[in-house]
Structure formats: C-alpha cells, structure tokens
Amino acid sequence: MATARDYRQRRRSRRDRHGRGLRGTLYPATLPAAASRAERFDALVLDALEPIEARWRHELTKLDVAVDDVPEVRENGNSPADGVLHDGAVPLSRLVPAGVDRTGLPTRARIVLYRRPLEARAKDPSELAELVHDVLVEQVAGYLGVEPDVIEGE
C-alpha cells in the first residue's frame, strides 16, 4: 500500500525545485529547428556533394569529405599550406592527399571543409549553400586534376 510519503517522493521526482514540471526539448526532434548549426551545415555539405557525386561517382570512390569547425594551426602559428583553398589569409577547405598515417596504415584522400570560416563569409543560408558548393567544386577539381568548369558540366 502506498503511503503519503511515497506519493510525495514520486510527485517530487517529476517536478523541479520550483514545483513546475521537468523541462523537455524546445522543439521536437522531427522539426528542422531542432538541428544544431553543425548538423545543418553537415546536411548542407551533403546536399552540395550529391550532384557532384552523381556525375563523378566512379572517380570519387576513394575520396572522403569531412567537416571541421576551424582549421588546424601548427605550433609555429602556420596552418598547413598544401591543398588549402584560402579566402585571403583564412583557409576555407583543405584537400588531404592519400598517404600513410603515423601508425603506418594507408589513408584515403579527404576534403576537409572548415565550417566556421565558411559560415562567417555567408550573409544568409542560400549564400552559404552556394559557397559550400563552389568550395567543393574547387576541391574536387583539384583532386581529379581538371578545371572546375568540367566538374559542374559547363
């Protein structure tokens, strides 16, 4: 049989210290507003990569695309310069060629997009989508050794 004390403890566990109900999520997970900026950027990259990958599927089988928040800075203050697409002095993306990692295992070629510098250069989401597409086209062209116009099919 439940006592009054059991009822109070059970009721207290469902309330916060002010007597209100527990806070839930602000938006349901099914709504686009529930996605973080990083998740929205990842989706934007996938959308920009889809038409490129559809056209160049066989040539891009050994290429990975990744997203980092900011570029890596070395101890001497310089960022790696090979395969980097710059806007002034700020790197927007980097093409890392295939090679061997520190442990001796082979690595695949990889395009790394830097989210924060790209977001800082766009005024609105449509401009960001164009910028991400342009950067991906430039880097894929560099990977394949062709002109960017060939990647877009112009």
Side-chain angles (χ1 to χ4, degrees), residues 96-149:
V96 180
V100 179
D101 67 2
R102 293 181 190 126
T103 61
L105 297 173
T107 61
R108 294 168 44 121
R110 181 173 71 248
I111 294 174
V112 181
L113 299 171
Y114 300 120
R115 179 177 66 87
R116 301 280 304 267
L118 287 167
E119 286 178 339
R121 274 142 190 80
K123 295 177 184 165
D124 56 18
S126 64
E127 188 175 322
L128 180 60
E130 283 182 37
L131 181 60
V132 167
H133 176 74
D134 292 345
V135 168
L136 274 173
V137 166
E138 287 281 334
Q139 291 293 24
V140 169
Y143 172 72
L144 295 176
V146 297
E147 292 294 317
D149 295 340

Side-chain angles (χ1 to χ4, degrees):
M1 172 156 195
T3 64
R5 182 174 180 208
D6 293 336
Y7 176 72
R8 279 194 306 256
Q9 285 179 340
R10 204 175 26 203
R11 184 174 176 187
R12 198 175 312 147
S13 67
R14 285 186 260 156
R15 302 279 180 182
D16 65 2
R17 65 188 177 115
H18 300 289
R20 292 183 229 121
L22 295 175
R23 292 184 178 221
T25 56
L26 189 58
Y27 296 105
T30 57
L31 293 178
S36 68
R37 285 175 54 182
E39 290 170 337
R40 286 192 301 268
F41 188 82
D42 290 346
L44 189 69
V45 169
L46 290 174
D47 290 343
L49 184 63
E50 188 176 337
I52 297 169
E53 194 175 53
R55 183 158 188 234
W56 298 93
R57 180 172 313 279
H58 299 294
E59 290 83 357
L60 300 179
T61 56
K62 296 185 180 187
L63 177 71
D64 294 332
V65 176
V67 174
D68 276 348
D69 282 339
V70 292
E72 173 187 333
V73 176
R74 305 258 169 119
E75 290 107 28
N76 60 5
N78 297 330
S79 61
D82 53 330
V84 177
L85 182 63
H86 289 277
D87 178 24
V90 179
L92 301 178
S93 67
R94 180 171 183 222
L95 175 61
V96 180
V100 179
D101 67 2
R102 293 181 190 126
T103 61
L105 297 173
T107 61
R108 294 168 44 121
R110 181 173 71 248
I111 294 174
V112 181
L113 299 171
Y114 300 120
R115 179 177 66 87
R116 301 280 304 267
L118 287 167
E119 286 178 339
R121 274 142 190 80
K123 295 177 184 165
D124 56 18
S126 64
E127 188 175 322
L128 180 60
E130 283 182 37
L131 181 60
V132 167
H133 176 74
D134 292 345
V135 168
L136 274 173
V137 166
E138 287 281 334
Q139 291 293 24
V140 169
Y143 172 72
L144 295 176
V146 297
E147 292 294 317
D149 295 340
V150 175
I151 298 298
E152 294 200 70
E154 294 177 1

